[in-house]
Amino acid sequence: MFALRLIRRCLPAYALATSLSFADAIPVVAHFDPIEVDAGLSLSQTIELTLEQYPDNAWLKALEEESAALGQRGDSWLAGAPSIGLFFQEATSGTLHYGDASITAPLWNFGQRDAEQAVAKQAESSARMQSAAVKLRVAGLVRAALWDMELQQIRYDQAQAQVNLSEQLLAKVERRVELGDLPRADLLLAQTELLQQRSRLTQAEAEVMHARKRYASITQMTKVPGNYRETLADVTEVQQNHPALAAVNSQIARKQAEVTAIKAVGSGQSDVSVGINTDHGDERSNKTESFNIAVSVPFGGSAHLAPQIAAANVALNKLIAEREQLIRDLERAHHEAEHNLEVNRAELAIAEQLKQAAEEHLKMTELSFSLGEINLIDLLKIQSRTQQALLNAKERSVILERDKALYNQAVGVTP
């Protein structure tokens, strides 16, 4: 009867919990990974804080710097850096002096500057899309880590409750053995059961510590939000604005702009040179100064440009192939997330019914054992099945909440 009352006391505390429940029990193993619940910390804030420390953050900043550099190049009035040329010639007799100074500037080909500006624009857009995709990926890691911790904590709490029940049962058996109501074999059986439950508790505690360490490794902090349950997103299919899909689409758009920019290079850049010449002979000769303009226009360079265009097209088509595979993966993930929700709703209803039946059966069995109508082995079997039914009901409740978060993740919703 005590076991049944203890089980019923545990259930309301679990049902009212809105965040991770961390037991104050003394750990079995000295190794301990602390986790602190911060009621003022939201799930979205947790993801933002994790993103600040995430390794991809440096790569995202580099993408922003690259788009800024491309924009600076596209805004330039020249296709390249200008150059200054100086030339001086003097005859060995010292009677002839010739000097030339010029400035050469590479010019944009027709449409080339617009193409370069388009590359810069697509690079800027792609940087934003990549940032959103990374944030969604980080959100998925945080979601999974949080719900894994809660599931492992439930299993630990249940294992602790089972140890308590085994200890209480052992005390009763010891007393009845002393009174001669039970054989000594039952005492050994009760002691064995307690040791097995303590072993399970040790393993459950280890899994809790592992889950905490995974969370701390991902987020680089030991605080968890007070409430991270999510409302199911009102999205029935994968949208085109899914962050992962939008990110690869932006990469494709950028690569297409790069192909256009390469083609605009043509045979190369045209150069214009502006210079001044000075020609001075001996004292009897007149000093001559002249102004000149020269234009250099390359031609016939398509064969040299073709490999660059081909390489860019290879990268472009690889991205297109990756997008097609991504669409399939996203559709499959959405279907699985949707199906899991339906399955776990049904499983939760069944688990609740099994829990109620198991509680009633355990109540009857404990009464029969106290009256000597059944043996200890039968009681332990019923007790074990009841504990498993209680654990299944708790787990299904948490798994259903976790599946809501995973569904939101599948359709690309970031908290």
Side-chain angles (χ1 to χ4, degrees):
M1 297 298 293
F2 174 84
L4 183 60
R5 290 195 299 271
L6 180 59
I7 294 171
R8 286 177 174 172
R9 285 200 300 269
C10 293
L11 286 177
Y14 168 76
L16 294 175
T18 57
S19 62
L20 285 174
S21 173
F22 298 101
D24 294 327
I26 299 175
V28 180
V29 181
H31 178 84
F32 185 76
D33 294 302
I35 284 292
E36 177 185 355
V37 178
D38 187 348
L41 183 65
S42 66
L43 177 59
S44 60
Q45 290 173 334
T46 303
I47 293 172
E48 291 292 343
L49 292 172
T50 302
L51 188 60
E52 291 177 3
Q53 303 294 326
Y54 198 63
D56 280 358
N57 197 38
W59 170 62
L60 294 176
K61 290 181 179 179
L63 288 178
E64 294 177 359
E65 294 172 356
E66 181 196 27
S67 66
L70 291 171
Q72 186 177 5
R73 167 174 164 74
D75 292 338
S76 175
W77 289 100
L78 298 176
S83 60
I84 297 177
L86 298 175
F87 176 79
F88 178 76
Q89 182 179 9
E90 181 177 0
T92 56
S93 62
T95 58
L96 178 63
H97 305 278
Y98 178 80
D100 178 70
S102 64
I103 296 178
T104 301
L107 304 178
W108 292 110
N109 294 335
F110 181 76
Q112 185 183 5
R113 188 185 183 206
D114 291 339
E116 292 290 347
Q117 289 175 336
V119 171
K121 182 178 179 181
Q122 293 298 336
E124 182 182 4
S125 175
S126 180
R128 292 196 304 270
M129 296 301 101
Q130 299 304 320
S131 179
V134 170
K135 184 176 181 180
L136 178 64
R137 186 163 69 249
V138 169
L141 294 173
V142 173
R143 282 163 162 161
L146 283 170
W147 287 109
D148 182 40
M149 275 198 300
E150 182 153 351
L151 280 172
Q152 298 302 335
Q153 187 67 41
I154 286 173
R155 292 162 185 164
Y156 170 81
D157 292 342
Q158 193 67 24
Q160 182 66 65
Q162 185 62 44
V163 167
N164 295 338
L165 290 174
S166 297
E167 289 175 346
Q168 295 294 328
L169 181 61
L170 177 61
K172 292 180 181 180
V173 171
E174 286 178 342
R175 179 58 179 165
R176 292 184 62 178
V177 168
E178 291 175 357
L179 296 175
D181 291 343
L182 293 175
R184 183 170 178 77
D186 281 356
L187 177 60
L188 295 175
L189 181 60
Q191 291 174 340
T192 301
E193 177 67 15
L194 176 59
L195 291 174
Q196 290 176 343
Q197 295 303 330
R198 285 177 176 172
S199 176
R200 293 189 182 99
L201 177 63
T202 302
Q203 294 300 319
E205 181 186 276
E207 292 303 322
V208 169
M209 296 304 133
H210 293 162
R212 290 182 178 186
K213 184 59 180 178
R214 284 192 293 270
Y215 173 82
S217 178
I218 291 170
T219 62
Q220 294 296 295
M221 59 183 182
T222 58
K223 291 185 177 181
V224 298
N227 181 15
Y228 46 85
R229 281 157 177 75
E230 301 182 41
T231 302
L232 193 63
D234 187 18
V235 181
T236 58
E237 61 182 9
V238 177
Q239 306 290 325
Q240 286 295 318
N241 61 352
H242 188 289
L245 188 56
V248 71
N249 280 333
S250 69
Q251 289 179 307
I252 290 173
R254 172 178 173 171
K255 189 58 65 175
Q256 289 172 333
E258 288 178 355
V259 172
T260 302
I262 293 173
K263 292 180 178 179
V265 173
S267 300
Q269 303 303 142
S270 299
D271 294 330
V272 60
S273 298
V274 179
I276 298 176
N277 298 329
T278 300
D279 188 358
H280 180 59
D282 55 22
E283 295 179 355
R284 292 173 295 178
S285 302
N286 294 327
K287 182 178 180 181
T288 303
E289 293 184 353
S290 61
F291 175 79
N292 60 74
I293 298 177
V295 177
S296 173
V297 180
F299 63 93
S302 59
H304 301 283
L305 192 64
Q308 298 180 44
I309 297 175
N313 276 320
V314 168
L316 172 61
N317 283 280
K318 186 175 185 298
L319 286 172
I320 292 174
E322 290 176 356
R323 178 180 62 184
E324 296 305 311
Q325 183 60 50
L326 176 62
I327 291 174
R328 298 180 184 185
D329 292 342
L330 292 176
E331 289 176 347
R332 184 181 68 253
H334 170 258
H335 175 268
E336 291 177 356
E338 187 176 41
H339 189 216
N340 286 338
L341 275 172
E342 296 173 355
V343 170
N344 282 312
R345 285 193 183 103
E347 287 288 342
L348 177 59
I350 295 173
E352 289 292 340
Q353 294 175 5
L354 286 173
K355 181 193 72 173
Q356 294 176 5
E359 286 179 326
E360 292 298 324
H361 194 190
L362 178 61
K363 180 179 179 181
M364 297 170 58
T365 304
E366 286 183 327
L367 178 60
S368 298
F369 178 72
S370 64
L371 297 175
E373 295 177 354
I374 64 171
N375 56 38
L376 181 59
I377 293 179
D378 291 333
L379 174 62
L380 291 176
K381 289 180 180 179
I382 301 302
Q383 192 178 78
S384 177
R385 283 200 293 266
T386 302
Q387 288 297 308
Q388 188 60 48
L390 291 172
L391 178 59
N392 287 341
K394 293 177 182 180
E395 284 188 343
R396 285 298 170 186
S397 179
V398 172
I399 288 173
L400 184 58
E401 294 297 324
R402 182 198 64 183
D403 285 348
K404 293 179 182 178
L406 295 182
Y407 181 89
N408 291 346
Q409 179 73 22
V411 297
V413 176
T414 304

